[in-house]
Amino acid sequence: MKEGAAWVTILREPASLFESLWNYFDMHQVDVFFQFYHVNLTYFSKALSLTGVNRRGIGIGLNQMTFDMGYKMPIAMKPGELLQSFQEKDDLFDLVMIAERFDESLVLLKHLMCWSTEDIAYVKLNFRGGTTDSPPLPQWVKLRLRKLNYQDAMLYDYFRGVFNQKVRDFGREKMRLEVQELRKANARLFDECLADELEEWDSETNARWENRNIVGWKVKNNATKCRLLVMPETTLTDFVRKRQKEWRESGWKLDMARWALPDDTVKMRENTLKGFIL
């Protein structure tokens, strides 16, 4: 990264995150990634000891957020040592966003980056639709999942407190007005760019994963920003990394405002999907 870059990440309530991972990646099934999870989530949550459960394949499992933060699994730190390490992470990150308060998080990000409201406008993509195969989790299961993911729970609770303080410092009324402004910008963006939900895989726009009821959108405007808006997550990440590499290799002189999609975008999507399946 260029010197002086802002450090930003996002956290999600641990029980909700683990339930989402479990269902999105079919972790109850026996497959190449998750051979050891051949039980349903309720049964899994009753486990007394998971010391023998290791991460496999693409690195999905317990304490996902601390794993993504760079902690080696299993974490050998005592709670006090872990808390101290979170304080060190707090010094590193300019902003730790909270998924359950996404709009407020984006407002704080806007001011950190000196952006406009239009810069942070968004539409929901790659999320589960209104009907899912799994019913809402009972409260006792949620509590049990937090215990099984207790390091994630500590991480989330610590940074939720930091986030609350940032909102208080920003001003609650000012935050309310800016969130309202953001939601109006979201509505304008949706109206400008999006048409109907996708019903199946569409290599020109996005993907609805088989048997997962994941929502994607068709574009009604071929403008670059609209096409970027509906691009699958992994494909967009590859594209941004490629652009970032070009920027760095140019000595930071490349005009990044020229945000044109490559001609082989469809091929990029197909390769990304193939790579994920493999």
Side-chain angles (χ1 to χ4, degrees):
M1 298 296 295
K2 190 174 181 179
E3 186 177 353
W7 287 68
V8 180
T9 190
I10 187 167
L11 301 177
R12 180 178 177 182
E13 194 284 315
S16 173
L17 171 63
F18 192 78
E19 184 273 338
S20 179
L21 289 173
W22 184 278
N23 287 292
Y24 190 92
F25 289 105
D26 289 332
M27 290 165 68
H28 62 283
Q29 296 181 359
V30 174
D31 60 27
V32 67
F33 293 140
F34 308 113
Q35 298 177 32
F36 43 79
Y37 284 153
H38 195 203
V39 293
N40 64 40
L41 184 55
T42 300
Y43 185 90
F44 179 87
S45 70
K46 295 178 181 179
L48 297 178
S49 175
L50 294 173
T51 55
V53 175
N54 299 315
R55 291 176 178 275
R56 299 288 296 277
I58 56 178
I60 303 298
L62 291 169
N63 293 299
Q64 187 65 44
M65 293 185 293
T66 40
F67 175 79
D68 289 342
M69 280 274 203
Y71 291 87
K72 292 183 179 180
M73 297 292 163
I75 297 177
M77 296 181 185
K78 296 179 181 179
E81 296 171 329
L82 195 57
L83 182 60
Q84 182 177 352
S85 74
F86 295 160
Q87 294 169 345
E88 294 170 358
K89 296 286 187 184
D90 191 12
D91 292 336
L92 172 66
F93 283 99
D94 296 275
L95 175 63
V96 176
M97 302 164 66
I98 299 296
E100 289 75 22
R101 299 173 68 179
F102 191 60
D103 288 353
E104 293 169 285
S105 294
L106 285 179
V107 169
L108 293 178
L109 180 65
K110 179 183 81 169
H111 286 270
L112 171 66
M113 304 300 291
C114 301
W115 289 342
S116 71
T117 300
E118 299 300 327
D119 290 327
I120 61 169
Y122 70 95
V123 297
K124 293 181 68 176
L125 180 70
N126 199 37
F127 66 97
R128 287 181 289 179
T131 59
T132 63
D133 295 332
S134 57
L137 291 177
Q139 185 63 24
W140 73 266
V141 174
K142 293 180 181 179
L143 292 174
R144 183 59 187 160
L145 289 178
R146 281 184 62 94
K147 289 183 178 180
L148 293 175
N149 292 275
Y150 83 91
Q151 290 149 345
D152 268 11
M154 285 184 62
L155 178 74
Y156 177 82
D157 290 345
Y158 176 86
F159 279 104
R160 185 180 58 179
V162 172
F163 183 87
N164 287 338
Q165 185 59 53
K166 286 183 181 292
V167 172
R168 286 192 292 269
D169 293 343
F170 185 82
R172 295 186 184 279
E173 179 61 15
K174 182 180 177 183
M175 177 63 75
R176 185 188 69 80
L177 293 174
E178 294 218 18
V179 166
Q180 187 178 66
E181 178 184 344
L182 170 60
R183 290 173 180 172
K184 291 179 180 178
N186 290 345
R188 291 194 298 270
L189 184 64
F190 190 100
D191 185 62
E192 177 184 355
C193 288
L194 303 185
D196 300 323
E197 281 187 32
L198 291 174
E199 296 180 357
E200 57 188 10
W201 167 254
D202 182 345
S203 63
E204 290 297 328
T205 51
N206 202 348
R208 176 185 285 275
W209 294 86
E210 293 183 6
N211 303 321
R212 283 177 171 80
N213 195 32
I214 302 300
V215 173
W217 303 100
K218 294 179 181 178
V219 291
K220 65 179 180 182
N221 184 332
N222 203 40
T224 298
K225 73 172 182 179
C226 296
R227 293 164 62 199
L228 285 167
L229 197 64
V230 299
M231 188 180 287
E233 172 187 343
T234 49
T235 306
L236 179 60
T237 301
D238 288 343
F239 178 42
V240 170
R241 282 174 177 160
K242 180 176 181 292
R243 293 282 297 188
Q244 185 181 31
K245 182 180 178 181
E246 294 171 352
W247 189 29
R248 186 192 68 220
E249 291 176 347
S250 72
W252 315 110
K253 296 177 182 179
L254 184 67
D255 182 7
M256 300 303 288
R258 299 174 59 189
W259 190 263
L261 288 177
D263 294 334
D264 60 349
T265 302
V266 172
K267 184 177 180 181
M268 285 175 60
R269 293 193 186 100
E270 292 171 349
N271 289 342
T272 299
L273 181 62
K274 182 189 296 185
F276 182 87
I277 292 174
L278 292 177

